[in-house]
Amino acid sequence: MSPPTMTTAAAATATAMAAGVLPRPRPHFLRRGILPSPASPLPFASRVSSAAPLRHRLPPPRFSLSPIPKTLSSPSHVPVRSLFTGIVEDVGTVRRIGPPPAPPSGGGGEAPGVDLEVETSTLLAGTQLGDSVAVDGACLTVAAIDAAASTLTFGVAPETLRRTSLGGRSAGDAVNLERALTPASRMGGHFVQGHVDGTGEIAAFRAEGDSLWVTVRAPPEILRLLVSKGFVAVDGASLTVVNVDEEGGWFDFMLVRYTQDNIVLPNKKVGDKVNLEADILGKYVEKLLAGRLEAMSKAGKRRE
């Protein structure tokens, strides 16, 4: 089959363009104004030497997916807000808990808050004022950093003291610590907000091989959100629920050897309190279902 030939009109048009009689058609993206015309100056043309040929090449975008290193002296640091994984980074030691030091001017009137000062060997690097840290599962904000003493100080709100076990801590107690998740962090546990739902009480420890069974008594409003093989945060540690007994008022889980060596829980005693946070997905499902059932109930009553 022979190749197609140009028509007489098309051949005449091509000859006229080659001779300069007719202008060459401009590409559609130039006609629409998407890119500047080759004849018009580019916005950055003044930065290009007139002796060098002008190239229509924009500089590559400057971005990186790697985390931005943070130092204690960085003035442009943006605090990372609270989402955790339940993978404990360090076990810190409480150095002081109580009213903050009185201001030099002596101050006035209002009841003082509570400061929690914790010594940590690993969290100082990269931590800055305003960052969120989970302390035994409670999301707290870093209010002071003492690099010489290796301590972080947190302000503890009255609601936090009521809802968690932090009010019962004293100097020398060990606490689980985890910094907030970053975009480059591994998601090793589950989504932990650091918003403690309430406290439970350790009911029993039982060894099986080198693992440790832990049974915790918990209130009904927390137990109804727990499911076997689901997640729960206990003192901020992401753990897998094994059994849930709502009638008996307890649930249990198992700690492998590594977890036992890297969290506070195995060093506690029967009767000690622990902070509990149920999986956020269970809370949303419960609320959605409750709203749906309420709407169905109202619709049924209107039909009656």
Side-chain angles (χ1 to χ4, degrees):
M1 181 176 180
S2 60
T5 58
M6 297 179 63
T7 64
T8 304
T13 302
T15 303
M17 286 193 295
V21 177
L22 293 177
R24 292 181 179 274
R26 298 172 67 191
H28 67 89
F29 52 81
L30 293 181
R31 291 199 304 270
R32 296 177 183 175
I34 299 176
L35 291 179
S37 168
S40 64
L42 294 174
F44 48 85
S46 59
R47 285 177 276 170
V48 182
S49 170
S50 58
L54 186 62
R55 296 181 179 179
H56 293 244
R57 180 180 297 175
L58 297 175
R62 301 182 64 182
F63 64 90
S64 174
L65 296 179
S66 59
I68 300 174
K70 299 187 292 181
T71 61
L72 293 177
S73 59
S74 172
S76 60
H77 169 66
V78 177
V80 178
R81 291 303 178 186
S82 52
L83 183 64
F84 307 93
T85 68
I87 304 300
V88 175
E89 290 187 82
D90 188 26
V91 174
T93 303
V94 175
R95 287 296 171 229
R96 185 180 66 86
I97 182 169
S105 58
E110 295 184 1
V114 172
D115 275 2
L116 175 64
E117 186 177 356
V118 179
E119 181 180 344
T120 170
S121 60
T122 61
L123 263 64
L124 287 182
T127 300
Q128 298 207 6
L129 296 178
D131 277 355
S132 295
V133 176
V135 181
D136 268 357
C139 177
L140 302 178
T141 300
V142 177
I145 300 173
D146 188 337
S150 298
T151 60
L152 301 175
T153 300
F154 309 90
V156 185
E159 172 64 9
T160 304
L161 295 173
R162 287 189 293 266
R163 182 78 65 161
T164 72
S165 63
L166 292 180
R169 297 289 181 268
S170 57
D173 285 351
V175 289
N176 295 327
L177 300 174
E178 182 192 356
R179 288 171 292 191
L181 188 66
T182 69
S185 301
R186 291 194 177 201
M187 189 64 195
H190 71 285
F191 289 127
V192 178
Q193 294 181 293
H195 303 162
V196 175
D197 294 311
T199 58
E201 182 181 295
I202 298 175
F205 291 107
R206 178 171 61 87
E208 183 178 343
D210 65 351
S211 296
L212 182 67
W213 284 96
V214 184
T215 303
V216 175
R217 295 190 186 94
E221 60 270 20
I222 295 178
L223 284 174
R224 71 168 182 261
L225 297 171
L226 304 184
V227 294
S228 179
K229 309 309 179 197
F231 289 116
V232 65
V234 180
D235 279 345
S238 174
L239 301 171
T240 302
V241 177
V242 179
N243 300 294
V244 182
D245 186 339
E246 292 191 53
E247 291 185 2
W250 58 269
F251 71 97
D252 63 8
F253 50 88
M254 181 176 278
L255 302 178
V256 298
R257 170 55 59 188
Y258 180 86
T259 305
Q260 295 175 51
D261 294 339
N262 288 276
I263 65 174
V264 175
L265 187 59
N267 298 318
K268 292 192 171 185
K269 305 182 297 297
V270 171
D272 284 352
K273 288 185 176 182
V274 290
N275 294 326
L276 301 176
E277 180 186 335
D279 190 354
I280 184 63
L281 296 179
K283 300 174 189 177
Y284 280 126
V285 170
E286 183 185 49
K287 184 171 183 178
L288 289 170
L289 288 177
R292 179 62 176 167
L293 291 174
E294 183 180 359
M296 291 173 63
S297 175
K298 290 180 179 179
K301 290 180 180 178
R302 285 196 297 265
R303 286 195 297 267
E304 291 177 356

